[in-house]
Structure formats: structure tokens, C-alpha cells
Amino acid sequence: DTLWDLAIAEVEKRENPDDDDDVKPGEVWEKSVLFMGNKTGGKTTIILRCLEREESPKPTLALEYTFGRRARRPNTPKEVAHFWELGGGTSLVELIRIPITSHNIRSFAVVLVLDLSKPNELWTTMESLLQVTRNHVNKILTKLEKTNPEVAAEIKQRMRNDLQRDHPDYALVDPFPIPLVIIGSKYDVFHELDSEMRKIISKTLRFVSHYYGASLVFTSKSEALLLKARALINHLAFGYDKSKSMSVDPSKPLFIPAGLDSMSQIGPPPASDSDLGKMHANTPLELWKKVFEKTFPPKSSCDLQDTKDPAQDSQYAEYEVDVMRAQKNQ
């Protein structure tokens, strides 16, 4: 190609933006996904399965990065997806500022992994992680509105894409500013819980996912369930087609892609009318929180207290550094 050919191609590309996320044939579209959630909730296992890596998961230290490459069709360039994983439960949530930036916000998504076997930690973990992430993303969007209003408008419009304007809940929900998938892990342990408890957890997570415009999937180490979670993550990371299947039966693992649920199907919070009458809440989310925490009071343990000092971990031993460190401490 001569310089003129390239210039003409460049102008045509700008004048005819393709509606499919601006991806042109031959162009690689990079997406990023941040995994966060309960400690030892199975985030690393899910990432390894998505990337088809046969290695055993190690505990995540602070913020870890890996990537995957995949061609959607034969003879097309491989697309790159960046996978970030936040360790330490909610204790290191400030680190989300590192992967989520104004440069990649258009192609960023979040996967929240909640450990279904620890219902007492569930709401606190979810609330603190999503709140900090949302505040950070909103700050980026506010800056973008000044510097690049078109991109900011596009992101805000996309938040609403999963829920059509004629959806009865259009005005009742508050979509998360970037694509969100909520994964309930350790379904095998959860399945052993009392059926009433399972119903409350399932219903609450359905409401939260629908309220945030998120997809919801329950998973465990079973291959069939991991494949469902993988389908949702591949959609975020590599742009694969979205699954249209759905499972809302409370006696089976839930699988609900974003925008397919509704408040009428979910029903009211699982509490008696007299209990609901006594609860003062300003938003539907607050009401569900109160009902949920009545059955599963949150643990008040601080995440930071049981965080081991990675500097003392033998797998990170480095003789010269450790000697200097000991000398400094002394």
C-alpha cells in the first residue's frame, strides 16, 4: 500500500464507523475483565478454566494479571483479553484504580465472584466492592464528559442496552456503569443448605443482578456449570455471542443473562408483610439488604486482620532483599 492508500483507508474508516464496537476486519479489539469477590471464592479457578489452562490455582497476592488470546473465526487475527484479579476480598479494593482507566473504560467489564457457602459475608463483600468500583468508574466518566463527551455518552447509553425501553422495570433499575457478571461460586456446598435459606439467597442475588443490569450464574467445580460461567465471560472478554438460555428454578443452579429477568418474576423480598412494614428503606436495594441481613447478619470481622504479610511468605523469599530488610527493621 502506498501512503495515499493508507490515508484513504484511514479516512473511510473514520467516516463509516462499524456499529459492532468499532471492530474492523483485521483489527484486534482488546477487552479487559476484572475479577473480584470473596477470598478463596474460586476466582483463580474460573479464570484458569476460561483460558483453558491446566494448572492448579495459587492464592492471589494483591492484584494479578494474565491474558488470553482467541480467534473468533478461522483466519482472523487473535483477539486479546486482559484478565485482572483482585485478591484479599475487600481489603485491597483501592487497587481497582490500576486496571480501570479512562483509556480502557469502553472495553472494560467486571466479574464479581461471591462465595455462596458464606452467606453472612455475601452482602458486605458485594456492597463494598461494587460501591468502590462504581465510584471510580463514575469519576472517569465525569472526566470523559469534559474531554471526550461522545465516548462518555456511548458508555452511558450502553448501560441501558440490555434492558429495552419497553421493559416494565426500565425506570426501577440502576444499571452498573460497565458490564457486570455476578457469579455465585461453590454451588455444591450451597446446595446442602436449608431450602428456605437457599431461596432467600437466590432471590436476593436475582434482585441485585437485575437491579444492576448484570448477568447471574451459579457455579461449582462441575464442568457443566463452569462452562456456563465461561460462556458469559467469553462474551465479555472475546465478544462471543450472548447465551439466550435461562434457568430460574430455585432448586437448580441459576443462570440468567442480563436483561432477561423482571421484578414481577422475582417477586417481593422474602419476608412477611408485617416485617416489611417495620423496615424503613429509601430504595428497593436497601429494603432487600435489610431482609437479607435479618436472616444472615453480616460478620463484623475486618478483612485486614487476617491478611498475612506477603513479605514473610517463603515463596517470595529473596536473599539479598531479605537481608537488607532485616537490617532496616533492626
Side-chain angles (χ1 to χ4, degrees):
D1 287 1
T2 67
L3 207 53
W4 288 117
D5 294 331
L6 293 171
I8 292 165
E10 179 65 29
V11 169
E12 278 176 358
K13 181 174 144 186
R14 284 185 193 167
E15 284 175 355
N16 309 313
D18 194 331
D19 57 6
D20 183 24
D21 278 350
D22 302 349
V23 184
K24 301 287 166 294
E27 186 184 345
V28 178
W29 177 248
E30 295 188 8
K31 299 206 171 187
S32 306
V33 183
L34 170 65
F35 287 76
M36 54 192 190
N38 293 87
K39 269 186 201 175
T40 64
K43 299 183 288 295
T44 312
T45 307
I46 293 167
I47 293 174
L48 291 173
R49 285 303 298 119
C50 283
L51 299 175
E52 296 173 15
R53 288 191 193 151
E54 299 292 331
E55 50 192 86
S56 50
K58 296 188 189 75
T60 302
L61 186 82
L63 185 69
E64 293 201 357
Y65 168 81
T66 183
F67 67 91
R69 300 175 71 203
R70 203 156 290 170
R72 256 194 285 182
R73 288 176 289 280
N75 308 324
T76 57
K78 283 191 170 177
E79 295 185 13
V80 178
H82 306 280
F83 287 85
W84 295 87
E85 184 187 354
L86 179 71
T90 54
S91 60
L92 302 167
V93 69
E94 293 303 320
L95 291 177
I96 60 149
R97 293 182 206 159
I98 297 166
I100 309 179
T101 66
S102 52
H103 300 296
N104 63 14
I105 189 83
R106 282 173 77 191
S107 56
F108 211 97
V110 170
V111 175
L112 176 65
V113 180
L114 297 171
D115 187 337
L116 295 174
S117 68
K118 298 178 183 164
N120 298 73
E121 293 174 23
L122 200 139
W123 194 284
T124 328
T125 303
M126 173 178 73
E127 189 173 55
S128 47
L129 289 171
L130 291 184
Q131 223 162 11
V132 176
T133 309
R134 182 171 218 154
N135 293 344
H136 176 62
V137 171
N138 284 341
K139 268 185 203 157
I140 292 176
L141 287 178
T142 310
K143 275 187 195 157
L144 274 179
E145 276 169 352
K146 293 176 188 142
T147 57
N148 197 337
E150 286 166 12
V151 171
E154 178 201 319
I155 292 169
K156 289 193 166 174
Q157 179 48 45
R158 210 176 51 201
M159 282 161 58
R160 289 276 181 185
N161 280 356
D162 280 322
L163 213 57
Q164 305 307 319
R165 271 191 184 278
D166 55 0
H167 194 291
D169 304 335
Y170 189 79
L172 302 172
V173 297
D174 183 14
F176 204 68
I178 51 179
L180 172 66
V181 167
I182 296 177
I183 295 181
S185 66
K186 305 197 181 173
Y187 177 77
D188 42 347
V189 184
F190 168 76
H191 197 58
E192 304 298 314
L193 294 177
D194 169 69
S195 67
E196 204 49 45
M197 289 168 114
R198 289 206 311 266
K199 192 174 146 194
I200 294 173
I201 297 169
S202 299
K203 235 181 159 186
T204 304
L205 284 179
R206 274 182 72 182
F207 169 78
V208 170
S209 301
H210 184 55
Y211 185 75
Y212 282 133
S215 298
L216 174 66
V217 59
F218 282 2
T219 180
S220 70
K221 285 183 178 162
S222 103
E223 200 57 34
L225 291 184
L226 276 168
L227 276 173
K228 288 196 158 184
R230 206 170 125 193
L232 287 175
I233 294 162
N234 278 342
H235 170 67
L236 297 179
F238 301 105
Y240 281 38
D241 290 341
K242 230 164 113 178
S243 174
K244 289 279 186 284
S245 72
M246 179 172 166
S247 164
V248 292
D249 181 347
S251 62
K252 296 195 176 85
L254 296 180
F255 180 75
I256 310 169
L260 296 187
D261 217 340
S262 69
M263 299 288 190
S264 57
Q265 282 176 293
I266 298 166
S272 67
D273 290 348
S274 62
D275 280 351
L276 287 177
K278 288 176 201 156
M279 291 177 183
H280 300 289
N282 297 321
T283 62
L285 195 66
E286 214 176 295
L287 183 64
W288 278 83
K289 177 185 177 176
K290 287 188 171 172
V291 172
F292 185 79
E293 291 189 340
K294 194 167 183 273
T295 312
F296 303 107
K299 285 189 178 167
S300 58
S301 66
C302 177
D303 256 339
L304 290 166
Q305 280 154 9
D306 59 1
T307 304
K308 294 188 186 74
D309 179 1
Q312 307 303 325
D313 192 323
S314 58
Q315 69 168 319
Y316 303 111
E318 238 176 290
Y319 180 73
E320 288 87 350
V321 177
D322 296 340
V323 169
M324 292 302 286
R325 186 67 200 252
Q327 198 177 329
K328 179 176 183 288
N329 290 346
Q330 199 176 339

